[in-house]
Amino acid sequence: MRLMKRLATALIAAQFLTAFSALAATPDCPSPSQTPWPTRDWEASTPEEQGMDSAALAELVDRVGAYKQDSLLIIRHGKIVADAYYAPYAPNIRHDLRSVTKSFTGTLTAIELRKGFLDSVDHPIVDLFADKHISNLDDGKKAMTVQNMLDMTSGIAWNERFYSPDETVSEMYKSPDRVDFVLSQPMSNPPGARFYYDSGNPYVLSALITRKTGRDALDFARDELFKPLGISNARWDTDAEGVTDGESGLYLTPRDMAKLGYLYLHEGSWDGEQIIPSSWVDRVRQGPVKATDGYHYANFWWSLPERDAFMARGRHSQLILVLPKLDVVAVMTGALKDGYFPTTDLIDGVTGAIKSDAALPPDSAAQSVLAASIEKAATERASPVRPAPELAKAISGKSYRLQDNDLHVKAFSLNLVDPNPSWEYTIATQRLDRPTARFSGPIGLDGLYRKASSRAGIDAVKGSWLDDHTFQVDRRILGQGETQRWTLAFDGDKVDLNFESSDGVKAELHGEAEE
């Protein structure tokens, strides 16, 4: 089976190479001045056809892979020149955008403005939510505008860094009225005086979209943004108040993520239709607000004006990068806590691969190197495994009942001696109609993930013995932007379980085998 998978991967890479070679040999390929619009899908091209060096892109694909990212997509002159997916992630899987979502919320605010739902970004926020019982209302808060929120200069006192339970953003999600919660926080600075990252801002602006348009942000996006751009495979959850989470939680494929960058690359215009004002894009590109670590900010976008680069950024390396002078859009996705690939390194890698604004001579050898790097990325490499101890037989098939815990996990079992190893766990849902939910699927014991569809998405799970009494489970929900590690220490009928996610969530659970 593994040999067949390798052969299939090699065949796909060969097909890409053949297609690229055919493109390079075709004399009537569209020139870069003829703008292609990827409403239905992106066109592919050899890098050389778009003035880029395949060998340099191959090196970049390898470098990004060393940081254990999920994907890398590079587009120049409207054509895909590199599209890599790092196993176990794969094409056509929607990815959690994390805070890249904020840039979509900002874009929807621009549409809201252009269509007249919102009269001005200088409109005071508290006036737009006059029905709310806002606490700590002073002159500064009364002066806070939509633009202040878009620029992360609202002046609201806010604590947000690691999503720990005591942070303001975590408290917001516990509140029954999140808009009221955000707007009732005390002010720490006058509006516009200082950049401070605050995920309450985009949540409030998403609620404003619902209030002004009568549609939640997802429905508004489907009609006004996704439909013209040809995006049909989106997920974006709405809370109990009917508000779409404007700060995170949007899921798109990397190719659909790139469409937002392409819209901004073309000054807010798409195939003859002005989706957002060009002045909105100009402000994003200029980045008038000084942010952190040398970055600038505006309209929920980051920028490096000295590099003429702007980007939508999210946790774990989610990124949409726009390089206007080079006519480039790049997208990167990731999931690992320690897998952050620096944005400036990506800019350097893309810039270094560009050799000309015009087509270069065909280079089949370099294109083969790039195809090999993309194939390597898609091929999972097994992690080391130890031989299974005798304990594997003793625990296999047993159900372990866990004490009450913050993860709401009630029980788990492992089947490690069956020809098709599997794992299963049950959680408390806190729902009256369905008090528990069971999750199960295959688990790889050979250092390779096993994939299966689940309620959460596509699970990729593998396990290994750390010693004669400790078993480790590595789980990824592909596209979720998070990894999980479960470490189970067995002592007779008792088990101690340590949980840690790439989002920094940690928990200790204790239980014992059921009779």
Side-chain angles (χ1 to χ4, degrees):
M1 178 62 70
R2 199 176 308 160
L3 177 60
M4 292 298 295
K5 288 182 178 178
R6 289 176 179 170
L7 289 172
T9 303
L11 178 59
I12 291 170
Q15 289 172 339
F16 271 120
L17 181 58
T18 301
F20 283 168
S21 299
L23 280 167
T26 303
D28 58 349
C29 287
S31 69
S33 62
Q34 296 174 301
T35 304
W37 294 104
T39 309
R40 292 189 176 181
D41 200 0
W42 292 95
E43 298 178 31
S45 168
T46 65
E48 282 70 25
E49 189 69 23
Q50 307 308 323
M52 299 186 75
D53 178 16
S54 290
L57 286 177
E59 182 179 347
L60 181 59
V61 169
D62 292 342
R63 286 180 58 210
V64 170
Y67 282 76
K68 299 181 180 179
Q69 303 303 108
D70 278 345
S71 70
L72 175 65
L73 171 64
I74 300 172
I75 294 159
R76 190 171 196 222
H77 301 324
K79 306 284 184 71
I80 291 177
V81 295
D83 192 14
Y85 298 86
Y86 301 92
Y89 188 65
N92 303 316
I93 297 175
R94 292 182 303 200
H95 207 286
D96 182 0
L97 273 57
R98 296 299 176 102
S99 286
V100 169
T101 302
K102 294 177 173 66
S103 300
F104 281 84
T105 302
T107 303
L108 296 178
T109 303
I111 296 173
E112 186 184 10
L113 182 68
R114 187 182 70 81
K115 289 191 169 284
F117 293 109
L118 178 65
D119 60 348
S120 171
V121 290
D122 295 324
H123 201 125
I125 282 288
V126 294
D127 290 351
L128 295 167
F129 291 95
D131 58 317
K132 296 292 183 182
H133 302 290
I134 300 172
S135 304
N136 300 304
L137 190 60
D138 57 19
D139 289 342
K141 189 174 288 187
K142 291 177 182 178
M144 180 176 59
T145 66
V146 172
Q147 189 65 66
N148 294 143
M149 288 202 151
L150 287 163
D151 291 345
M152 294 292 186
T153 59
S154 64
I156 293 174
W158 198 263
N159 178 22
E160 177 177 343
R161 191 175 181 186
F162 299 113
Y163 282 79
S164 59
D166 60 334
E167 290 186 0
T168 319
V169 66
S170 300
E171 292 296 327
M172 178 187 78
Y173 282 112
K174 298 174 187 175
S175 173
D177 188 334
R178 295 172 183 174
V179 171
D180 186 80
F181 175 87
V182 174
L183 296 182
S184 290
Q185 298 304 302
M187 300 292 285
S188 60
N189 293 282
R194 177 174 175 262
F195 174 89
Y196 195 84
Y197 197 76
D198 174 353
S199 289
N201 294 339
Y203 182 87
V204 169
L205 294 188
S206 175
L208 183 61
I209 290 169
T210 303
R211 175 166 292 215
K212 287 293 186 179
T213 70
R215 291 169 280 177
D216 64 51
L218 177 56
D219 285 340
F220 188 63
R222 281 175 175 150
D223 294 337
E224 309 295 345
L225 180 62
F226 294 165
K227 184 177 179 180
L229 270 57
I231 297 173
S232 59
N233 184 21
R235 171 189 158 191
W236 200 358
D237 293 335
T238 299
D239 65 19
E241 298 175 77
V243 176
T244 303
D245 188 356
E247 70 100 0
S248 67
L250 176 60
Y251 286 72
L252 295 173
T253 65
R255 289 190 176 198
D256 281 346
M257 290 170 67
K259 291 181 178 181
L260 185 71
Y262 201 63
L263 174 68
Y264 275 73
L265 181 66
H266 291 280
E267 294 289 327
S269 177
W270 189 274
D271 198 10
E273 179 183 357
Q274 195 70 38
I275 306 294
I276 59 175
S278 60
S279 58
W280 186 276
V281 180
D282 291 341
R283 194 170 192 279
V284 166
R285 188 173 178 179
Q286 293 161 9
V289 177
K290 288 186 178 180
T292 55
D293 300 324
Y295 285 91
H296 289 237
Y297 203 84
N299 294 346
F300 292 150
W301 285 77
W302 301 83
S303 64
L304 293 169
E306 73 281 2
R307 302 292 301 267
D308 193 28
F310 59 91
M311 64 288 301
R313 298 168 67 200
R315 195 170 188 172
H316 304 317
S317 295
Q318 321 313 326
L319 183 75
I320 302 172
L321 171 66
V322 184
L323 302 173
K325 289 182 180 177
L326 301 177
D327 199 18
V328 165
V329 173
V331 168
M332 186 165 60
T333 62
L336 299 182
K337 181 179 179 181
D338 301 319
Y340 173 72
F341 187 80
T343 302
T344 51
D345 286 4
L346 181 60
I347 295 172
D348 291 341
V350 171
T351 302
I354 294 175
K355 306 302 179 183
S356 172
D357 285 334
L360 301 173
D363 190 340
S364 59
Q367 290 161 20
S368 295
V369 173
L370 176 58
S373 290
I374 292 173
E375 179 187 349
K376 177 184 175 183
T379 305
E380 187 181 351
R381 284 166 291 284
S383 55
V385 294
R386 289 168 49 98
E390 286 298 316
L391 182 63
K393 295 178 182 178
I395 67 169
S396 188
K398 282 187 177 181
S399 178
Y400 287 82
R401 178 67 55 180
L402 299 174
Q403 300 170 11
D404 290 345
N405 56 81
D406 292 339
L407 300 180
H408 306 294
V409 180
K410 304 290 289 182
F412 78 88
S413 64
L414 297 167
N415 189 343
L416 304 181
V417 295
D418 190 86
N420 297 303
S422 62
W423 77 320
E424 177 180 308
Y425 69 99
T426 303
I427 64 169
T429 64
Q430 299 179 315
R431 289 175 49 177
L432 294 176
D433 61 328
R434 186 165 59 90
T436 61
R438 184 175 63 86
F439 296 85
S440 63
I443 181 171
L445 301 180
D446 56 358
L448 298 172
Y449 286 102
R450 297 296 187 272
K451 299 178 186 179
S453 296
S454 72
R455 292 188 183 95
I458 299 177
D459 265 351
V461 183
K462 64 181 177 180
S464 61
W465 288 95
L466 302 184
D467 56 42
D468 287 348
H469 299 277
T470 309
F471 187 72
Q472 180 175 283
V473 177
D474 288 312
R475 181 195 187 199
R476 294 186 57 183
I477 305 172
L478 299 185
Q480 190 121 325
E482 179 190 16
T483 60
Q484 300 175 357
R485 174 162 287 176
W486 308 67
T487 305
L488 298 83
F490 296 93
D491 183 7
D493 286 337
K494 298 184 181 300
V495 63
D496 294 321
L497 191 157
N498 283 300
F499 172 88
E500 183 174 3
S501 79
S502 56
D503 277 340
V505 177
K506 297 181 180 181
E508 292 186 4
L509 291 70
H510 308 281
E512 60 183 314
E514 294 184 299
E515 294 296 334

